[in-house]
Amino acid sequence: MDVWIWLAVYLVVLAALQVGLYRYFRGRSPAPDPTPQGTSNARSGYGGPSPARSGIPCGECGTVNDAHSSVRYCRSCVADLR
């Protein structure tokens, strides 16, 4: 075959692949919000610490962080909790 025919076939296949990918990803729903609904963020004005949640409150911003031995920094402002 001639080089121009191969180039035309390549361009048609590439265009068909891109259209197929566009239609596939356009029909998908957006990703869910990765932030849990119960998360409080006092600095951003989302209500402050929740009374039902226990943990270590941050001295800088007031966010309640998980009470776990591996948690050392605030998840909101990255201040040292120890």
Side-chain angles (χ1 to χ4, degrees), residues 54-56 65-73 81-82:
S54 63
I56 303 169
N65 296 283
D66 296 331
H68 192 271
S69 62
S70 66
V71 176
R72 181 172 176 176
Y73 300 102
L81 294 175
R82 295 182 184 175

Side-chain angles (χ1 to χ4, degrees), residues 4-75:
W4 292 108
I5 294 173
W6 281 107
L7 183 62
V9 169
Y10 172 75
L11 290 176
V12 168
V13 169
L14 182 64
L17 177 67
Q18 288 185 356
V19 168
L21 286 173
Y22 171 74
R23 287 186 178 180
Y24 173 75
F25 285 113
R26 185 184 66 167
R28 295 179 60 184
S29 63
D33 186 19
T35 307
Q37 295 297 328
T39 304
S40 64
N41 190 349
R43 177 178 272 186
S44 298
Y46 289 110
S50 172
R53 186 171 180 161
S54 63
I56 303 169
C58 177
E60 295 290 324
C61 68
T63 301
V64 178
N65 296 283
D66 296 331
H68 192 271
S69 62
S70 66
V71 176
R72 181 172 176 176
Y73 300 102
C74 176
R75 66 178 169 187

